[in-house]
Amino acid sequence: MSAPVRYSYAGTGYSPGDLSGYAPEFLLRLYREMLRIRRIEERIEARYHEDQMKSPIHLVIGQEAISVGACSALAREDAIYLSHRTHGNYLAKGGDLKAMMSELYCRKNGCAGSVGGSMHLFDVDAGVAGSSAIVAGSVPIAVGHALAAQQRGTGQVVGVFFGDAGVEEGVFWESLNFAVLHQLPVLFFCENNFYSVCSPLTVRQPEGVEIHRKATAFGANTMLVDGTNVLRVHGAVRSAVAAARAGRGPQFLELQAYRWRGHGGAGDDSKSGYRSTDEAAQWRQYCPVAGFGDLLRAQGLLDPDLHENMESGIAAEIDAAFEHAINSPDPDPEEITRFVYSP
Amino acid sequence: MPWSEAFLRSQAAPAAPTAAGERVISYTHALAEALALALEIDPRVFVLGQGVNDPVGMFGLTTGLAARFGARRVFDTPLSEDAMTGICTGAAMQGQRPVLLHNRPDFLLLTFSQLVNHAAKVHYMDRGRHRVPMVVWAAIGRGWGSGPQHSQAIHGLLLSVPGLKLVLPGTPHDAKGLMLAAIADNNPVVILEHRWLMKASAAVPEGIYRVPIGKGVYRRRGSDLSIVGTSHTLHLALRALDSAACAGISADVIDLRTVKPLDEDIILESVARTGRLLVVDPGWSLGGVCAEVGCLVAERGFDLLRAPIRRVGLPDAPAPAGFALEQAYYPNEVTLAAAIRGLCG
């Protein structure tokens, strides 16, 4: 059994023109951050079968350009809220890798002390304010954060990530409506990867009604962005941040990319038949990380030594984070009843 | 006066005798005063809900507040109960203190995702990095045809949710003091008022005072049985106790005021003296406050009991709308008197 190719890549790939106006150091930083997320995800995937990370995982491989492009356009003081697919956005915003790995290994020193797991990563100091395993669950909370920012005049903008299925939840539209009504400084990042678990967009939303156009109808400023191109994402989010910070209200970005792996767990599950293996193969040709690396190489900005340097630095950091997590203690049972109520 | 209004007033609890110099105000006035005081002393407090700025002013709780404190601190909302709950949660996590008002608890059922999955758990899931100091208030709408979807007292459904506090005030004094305590609390607090109590008047101190959340209070001291409960149903039990049908029976009457956290000590202390327990509550008996209080005493006070525990809540059926059916559906002075007599017989 094989599904048809439903969703083809509609972008134009990386092109030299994308680089104009950016300093080489910045471009290399974006590349390194995407490569880092990719390698972290690959390592998690490679060791998942050991069954020591007793936490459901939702890998972001294929969607790294969204995380890095968006978070690089935000200030450290700006906040983001995440869905269940947390790793990439958490890391790109500056979330602590060791605390994340400890959380995946259910350790006492995990970012959520092992009560959250991989779907509840946060790092308040880095502006990763929260995440929710309920689809679109963190959307109103992000809007509330933006309301508080407006009430107090902090100048903060708040971003919230959710998938294409997020806009199938009533609470999403309720939240967008309120955000537009009050012109709140909030950025809606819709990561459209075309599938919710194994259900394609075609069985969930009417064809021909693009997600970003629905948001336009609610009065938000909207953009459709190639989510495999880190510079397109960065540029779009940068202008959206400027607009939101200037008081021009909520900005909605539909960012299209492909989830290379299954909804949850390790490995590509395309062979199970819910999506076409050809479709997945086609998207892999537009790898957000390798494509950007190729462009940087072609422009003479990335040489083999530099690349090797990045790889070894990233590998050492990942080794250290895994070792840290594996060697950390389990939480005490008393933790179960701590923090149920605040004093 | 429409018949419904006349009926409501006739059901209001009679004002308790007041000492000289005490100020007597209405229940809604007491609540309005609490909101105004909270807005006055704390710039982080804001009040919102469907219709808070309309001519009715949410039963009169919010009348004049927007004019006094501005539309940024007192504002009407879209009919988006779930999102508004999440928006309040997000604002509260940043240190604001939202007070979200609903006309009816029935609408809270639309908010369970944000209330139960998020507001109640944020502090726990992020190990105390954020607090959620928010108040969700709604008035149980029993009466004159409100029926299955406008009369519900749903606190029993929320009783088992860790992280929430549940408050059911019974007097103007407590309504004001518990509202001020809820606003000052660093957790999500759900307050369910009862509309039939809201026409009452009684002595209410001026200024700020807070009634502790989690503490019950004796409304009456006696020796034959303990009547433990909340809200309007407890008032009915007091009337039943005062009726001729209960002549000669003396009871401890405990107003729990808060059902989560539950004041277990006051319940067990009273049952230790009386040996008999009647639990009354405006919600369903099954799995709610009646069941929980009964279970508490069965578990920790079984040896104290001289008779089986009795509960008087609502039957396992939705509330009917029509007047005649309502009379049969809800406990009243007569059925409560029968329960009291039955327990002491």
Side-chain angles (χ1 to χ4, degrees):
Chain A
M1 166 188 165
S2 183
V5 172
R6 297 188 190 93
Y7 308 107
S8 295
Y9 176 67
T12 53
Y14 283 103
S15 64
D18 293 335
L19 304 178
S20 72
Y22 292 110
E25 301 74 39
F26 179 73
L27 297 169
L28 290 170
R29 201 189 98 200
L30 295 185
Y31 176 69
R32 189 186 191 281
E33 193 50 43
M34 284 198 294
L35 187 66
R36 176 175 177 260
I37 292 169
R38 173 67 58 91
R39 296 293 180 249
I40 290 165
E41 293 291 73
E42 287 171 346
R43 187 76 69 87
I44 291 167
E45 183 173 41
R47 299 195 65 168
Y48 200 55
H49 73 276
E50 294 169 5
D51 218 14
Q52 294 304 303
M53 281 176 263
K54 297 184 193 304
S55 173
I57 53 166
H58 302 84
L59 300 174
V60 302
I61 293 175
Q63 301 176 220
E64 296 91 339
I66 296 173
S67 301
V68 174
C71 291
S72 60
L74 293 164
R76 191 168 168 87
E77 310 75 62
D78 295 331
I80 59 168
Y81 288 81
L82 315 179
S83 67
H84 58 285
R85 198 172 300 283
T86 50
H87 306 177
N89 299 325
Y90 168 91
L91 292 165
K93 187 69 174 66
D96 185 79
L97 175 61
K98 285 182 174 168
M100 167 179 153
M101 289 319 306
S102 283
E103 191 62 29
L104 266 62
Y105 274 97
C106 313
R107 301 303 195 222
K108 181 180 186 165
N109 54 4
C111 60
S114 190
V115 309
S118 123
M119 295 191 284
H120 296 289
L121 301 183
F122 72 95
D123 185 335
V124 176
D125 299 330
V128 186
S131 45
S132 174
I134 302 299
V135 175
S138 45
V139 173
I141 295 174
V143 172
H145 187 144
L147 176 66
Q150 187 191 64
Q151 286 172 333
R152 295 174 156 200
T154 64
Q156 239 183 351
V157 302
V158 184
V160 57
F161 292 89
F162 49 92
D164 41 289
V167 305
E168 288 152 31
E169 298 287 357
V171 76
F172 170 77
W173 299 106
E174 293 183 6
S175 303
L176 180 63
N177 175 62
F178 184 84
V180 173
L181 181 70
H182 288 267
Q183 289 292 291
L184 298 179
V186 58
L187 309 164
F188 296 94
F189 299 125
C190 177
E191 299 188 65
N192 181 2
N193 64 18
F194 310 101
Y195 290 89
S196 175
V197 191
C198 298
S199 306
L201 204 47
T202 48
V203 303
R204 297 181 287 115
Q205 295 180 35
E207 283 188 75
V209 190
E210 291 174 290
I211 291 172
H212 62 100
R213 293 196 190 281
K214 299 182 215 187
T216 306
F218 269 67
N221 302 308
T222 65
M223 280 182 262
L224 173 64
V225 186
D226 178 355
T228 70
N229 184 319
V230 69
L231 292 172
R232 298 282 170 86
V233 175
H234 175 83
V237 175
R238 204 174 46 171
S239 69
V241 168
R245 224 186 288 284
R248 291 205 289 278
Q251 314 287 315
F252 179 101
L253 293 92
E254 178 183 350
L255 305 140
Q256 295 185 346
Y258 202 74
R259 190 190 74 208
W260 288 16
R261 301 298 194 256
H263 160 72
D268 177 13
D269 57 354
S270 300
K271 289 201 175 88
S272 67
Y274 74 90
R275 65 182 184 185
S276 154
T277 52
D278 290 346
E279 181 180 281
Q282 188 206 79
W283 280 88
R284 280 196 295 272
Q285 290 170 24
Y286 298 94
C287 175
V289 189
F292 192 47
D294 290 345
L295 176 62
L296 294 178
R297 264 185 290 273
Q299 298 298 307
L301 295 171
L302 181 64
D303 62 36
D305 281 353
L306 185 53
H307 191 264
E308 185 44 43
N309 228 343
M310 284 185 188
E311 289 279 19
S312 60
I314 290 166
E317 187 199 2
I318 298 173
D319 290 344
F322 272 74
E323 200 181 307
H324 165 85
I326 290 164
N327 294 324
S328 290
D330 287 332
D332 304 317
E334 299 83 68
E335 290 296 320
I336 292 167
T337 49
R338 282 185 75 204
F339 298 116
V340 177
Y341 291 96
S342 168
Chain B
M1 185 183 290
W3 75 267
S4 56
E5 186 70 5
F7 182 71
L8 192 63
R9 290 194 180 189
S10 75
Q11 296 298 313
T18 50
E22 277 187 326
R23 183 184 62 142
V24 173
I25 60 172
S26 75
Y27 201 107
T28 46
H29 183 179
L31 280 166
E33 197 169 85
L35 293 178
L37 283 166
L39 285 160
E40 202 173 284
I41 60 165
D42 190 342
R44 301 169 301 177
V45 174
F46 63 98
V47 175
L48 70 171
Q50 291 157 32
V52 297
N53 292 347
D54 74 11
V56 180
M58 193 61 80
F59 303 96
L61 264 64
T62 55
T63 307
L65 288 183
R68 187 169 158 203
F69 295 99
R72 286 175 82 88
R73 298 191 65 201
V74 183
F75 54 91
D76 216 319
T77 69
L79 283 77
S80 304
E81 290 84 357
D82 198 26
M84 293 319 304
T85 306
I87 288 163
C88 287
T89 303
M93 286 166 67
Q94 297 311 308
Q96 302 295 84
R97 292 185 174 267
V99 181
L100 176 58
L101 305 176
H102 297 271
N103 261 294
R104 297 283 184 278
D106 311 71
F107 299 116
L108 297 183
L109 294 168
L110 291 161
T111 76
F112 269 33
S113 176
Q114 285 303 319
L115 191 64
V116 179
N117 275 328
H118 298 87
K121 294 180 174 62
V122 164
H123 182 70
Y124 184 78
M125 291 200 300
D126 70 15
R127 308 319 279 158
R129 287 304 298 265
H130 289 111
R131 292 169 165 174
V132 185
M134 65 186 274
V135 178
V136 176
W137 181 96
I140 300 163
R142 172 184 174 181
W144 59 89
S146 287
Q149 297 170 334
H150 258 47
S151 313
Q152 297 172 91
I154 59 148
H155 49 292
L157 299 180
L158 291 166
L159 198 58
S160 57
V161 179
L164 293 181
K165 294 186 178 181
L166 300 175
V167 173
L168 283 93
T171 66
H173 172 277
D174 286 355
K176 176 180 170 184
L178 285 164
M179 175 62 87
L180 284 164
I183 294 171
D185 200 282
N186 286 317
N187 299 279
V189 181
V190 177
I191 302 176
L192 294 193
E193 225 70 66
H194 197 295
R195 197 161 58 156
W196 285 24
L197 297 172
M198 287 170 67
K199 296 288 178 187
S201 291
V204 175
E206 296 191 49
I208 290 170
Y209 64 93
R210 298 187 177 96
V211 170
I213 291 175
K215 289 283 174 209
V217 64
Y218 284 102
R219 295 284 180 222
R220 187 83 57 91
R221 301 303 291 257
S223 55
D224 297 326
L225 82 159
S226 303
I227 302 174
V228 175
T230 56
S231 194
H232 180 253
T233 320
L234 195 75
H235 282 267
L236 285 178
L238 278 166
R239 287 192 200 180
L241 198 58
D242 290 338
S243 69
C246 291
I249 297 174
S250 90
D252 264 355
V253 179
I254 295 169
D255 185 348
L256 292 170
R257 303 193 288 196
T258 306
V259 296
K260 188 181 179 74
L262 187 61
D263 188 348
E264 299 181 351
D265 292 344
I266 196 172
I267 299 167
L268 292 166
E269 170 196 281
S270 172
V271 174
R273 287 190 295 100
T274 65
R276 293 186 179 87
L277 174 66
L278 171 67
V279 199
V280 302
D281 184 67
W284 292 293
S285 291
L286 191 72
V289 170
C290 287
E292 187 56 35
V293 172
C295 183
L296 167 80
V297 173
E299 223 169 39
R300 292 179 50 197
F302 190 77
D303 295 340
L304 309 172
L305 290 169
R306 286 187 280 156
I309 294 164
R310 223 19 241 284
R311 51 181 159 164
V312 176
L314 300 181
D316 190 18
F323 189 79
L325 288 175
E326 262 186 355
Q327 303 313 301
Y329 178 77
Y330 287 104
N332 56 40
E333 217 174 288
V334 175
T335 56
L336 278 158
I340 292 167
R341 267 201 330 271
L343 200 50
C344 296

